[in-house]
DNA sequence: ACCTGAACACCGTTCAAGT
DNA sequence: ACCTGAACACCGTTCAAGT
């Protein structure tokens, strides 16, 4: 009764860190399009223009958000166990990175939109690259390996077929749609048929984690073979 | 002298196709952020609101732009020669697709932002998938193959280290930057050193085409091995 | 040093109105 | 049927001004 119902968090002074942390929260909850300077300010109990005292512009906010996530990722990966087998170690590292990025679903797209590699991203790739070298990879092969992995090194692949949403789908409607497809796209229809007959899967549903690991192992195994061959 | 200098292209009536073609031109020249409803209208010599008679909203414009590009891509790929060796054929197809996407540099990012796969994208993947099947891949392996290739199937990889711009760089400044990096990021510094010593390359410069083909072959070879192993 | 009000130049989009 | 003017609800950002 004594305490007034005030605007949220009116106490703590604004700071760059607080701006970025709030931006990340906002994006985690509502996607990156929820992060506008005005909404960010509102969330912080402040006017939009105040943000510009702590941050040059929105680009810097986005850069900062990536830095927050990458710091979290680097910390997680630092705790990942070493292994005398480079493949096992790199694999584990990447899957740990993936766990972090799955908590910030907006991050991959923003990461790809950045022009310059931030120090925290460099940090990550430096660690991965070093592990290749100590495993006996030449500098050249290591370089190619990094490119071949690409965003997979960070634990994500931008899925092109943005497979089935969580909304439960009508199996009858699905089946009908598949049959409509069959004329024009026989292969895709057959694939859809097969996927929809899998245990407890709905149309378009794919096991993202399985597919990620399949692709990752394909590349790691290929690199291993190049290493053996000298 | 007789002809007046009029606003550009005032004759031809507006149409969905003309809107989309102009949007693609705009993006090719100025990037996707150059495509706003207002600028698009202006380019067409019309008011922004007129566009809404031919197109529901901006999302539909973006979908349509992808369709234009993918139609161009499908046409190019349809002319790609068949080959009894599935690997050679798929490889050639993908490199042809890549050539088209390199003419529309904005397309990959927009493609990844689309939620539903458009018919023209389905068309492409149907063709690729079918070729795997006729080569003897099981449905399951074909499915995994498509995921493993991901956007590489269309000929692009979203580069994370958005390597050296075309602006000529100061080699001395580069060298200094590298040495600054060396403390924190020994591997990246060494890699940068090596790259910068390559013939006519500047810091951060990588041969994108080579790296693309390296990664592509790594995956195709891996898939081939899985095919042999049954 | 830190925050804000008013204002600007842009967005996408609706809707009633014009031809 | 096709296009438009006026208006709305949003953006990011500047700048002079407040405490």
């Amino acid at each position: 009764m004594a305490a007034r119902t005030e605007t949220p968090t009116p106490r703590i002074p604004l700071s760059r860190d607080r701006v970025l942390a709030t931006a990340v929260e906002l994006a985690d909850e509502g996607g990156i399009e929820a992060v506008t300077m005005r909404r960010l300010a509102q969330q912080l109990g402040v006017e939009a223009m105040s943000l510009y005292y702590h941050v040059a512009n929105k680009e810097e906010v986005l850069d900062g958000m990536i830095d927050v996530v990458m710091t979290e990722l680097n910390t997680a990966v630092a705790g990942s166990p070493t292994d005398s087998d480079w493949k096992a170690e790199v694999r584990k590292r990447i899957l740990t990175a993936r766990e972090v990025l799955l908590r910030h679903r907006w991050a991959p797209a923003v990461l790809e939109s950045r022009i310059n590699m931030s120090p925290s991203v460099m940090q990550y790739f430096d660690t991965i690259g070093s592990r290749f070298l100590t495993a006996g990879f030449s500098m050249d092969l290591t370089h190619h390996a990094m490119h071949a992995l690409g965003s997979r090194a960070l634990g994500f692949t931008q899925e092109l077929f943005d497979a089935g949403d969580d909304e439960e789908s009508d199996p009858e409607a699905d089946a009908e749609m598949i049959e409509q497809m069959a004329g024009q796209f026989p292969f895709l229809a057959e694939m859809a048929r097969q996927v929809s007959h899998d245990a407890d899967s709905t149309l378009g549903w794919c096991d993202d984690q399985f597919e990620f690991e399949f692709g990752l192992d394909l590349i790691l195994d290929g690199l291993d073979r190049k290493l053996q061959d000298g």
Side-chain angles (χ1 to χ4, degrees), chain A:
Chain A
M1 283 292 173
R4 284 279 202 63
T5 49
E6 296 271 70
T7 54
T9 61
R11 292 298 119 92
I12 322 151
L14 219 49
S15 72
R16 200 187 129 86
D17 282 356
R18 225 157 76 75
V19 169
L20 298 180
T22 306
V24 169
E25 277 172 34
L26 227 45
D28 286 347
E29 285 160 25
I32 195 64
E33 70 278 15
V35 181
T36 72
M37 296 305 268
R38 286 171 148 94
R39 249 185 294 191
L40 185 48
Q42 187 187 321
Q43 193 78 4
L44 287 156
V46 98
E47 296 301 316
M49 305 76 205
S50 311
L51 300 175
Y52 288 88
Y53 189 81
H54 297 92
V55 112
N57 48 38
K58 192 171 178 183
E59 283 296 286
E60 202 178 298
V61 173
L62 295 175
D63 285 339
M65 290 172 72
I66 289 300
D67 230 74
V68 168
V69 170
M70 285 304 301
T71 301
E72 180 185 341
L73 190 150
N74 283 328
T75 305
V77 165
S80 182
T82 59
D83 195 306
S84 56
D85 177 12
W86 73 268
K87 219 193 328 181
E89 181 174 330
V90 167
R91 190 186 138 92
K92 189 84 192 61
R93 234 179 241 287
I94 290 177
L95 294 181
T96 302
R98 177 173 173 81
E99 283 171 31
V100 174
L101 286 189
L102 286 177
R103 295 204 289 269
H104 307 286
R105 284 244 165 55
W106 50 272
V110 175
L111 204 45
E112 287 185 342
S113 77
R114 302 298 82 199
I115 314 146
N116 294 316
M117 201 166 20
S118 79
S120 51
V121 178
M122 290 180 138
Q123 169 77 273
Y124 181 79
F125 281 101
D126 195 74
T127 312
I128 294 276
S130 301
R131 190 63 187 84
F132 279 107
L133 286 183
T134 58
F137 282 70
S138 72
M139 193 63 210
D140 259 19
L141 187 53
T142 303
H143 184 173
H144 300 326
M146 311 285 273
H147 277 281
L149 284 169
S151 67
R152 251 197 191 89
L154 280 165
F156 72 90
T157 52
Q158 209 73 8
E159 291 292 338
L160 231 35
F161 347 62
D162 215 12
D165 318 49
D166 334 22
E167 1 161 347
E168 52 257 72
S169 53
D170 174 3
E172 271 185 54
D174 285 354
E176 198 182 339
M177 219 225 291
I178 290 176
E179 293 325 309
Q180 271 186 311
M181 268 172 56
Q184 251 192 307
F185 310 121
F187 160 69
L188 290 181
E190 181 55 35
M191 186 166 103
R193 253 183 232 118
Q194 194 134 330
V195 170
S196 73
H197 289 157
D198 275 4
D200 68 7
S201 84
T202 53
L203 173 61
W205 183 89
C206 301
D207 186 338
D208 284 347
Q209 183 67 24
F210 179 89
E211 300 298 350
F212 180 84
E213 295 186 20
F214 180 91
L216 178 59
D217 289 333
L218 206 61
I219 293 174
L220 293 180
D221 289 347
L223 292 171
D224 201 22
R225 201 160 294 105
K226 298 230 179 240
L227 177 61
Q228 317 291 0
D229 297 357

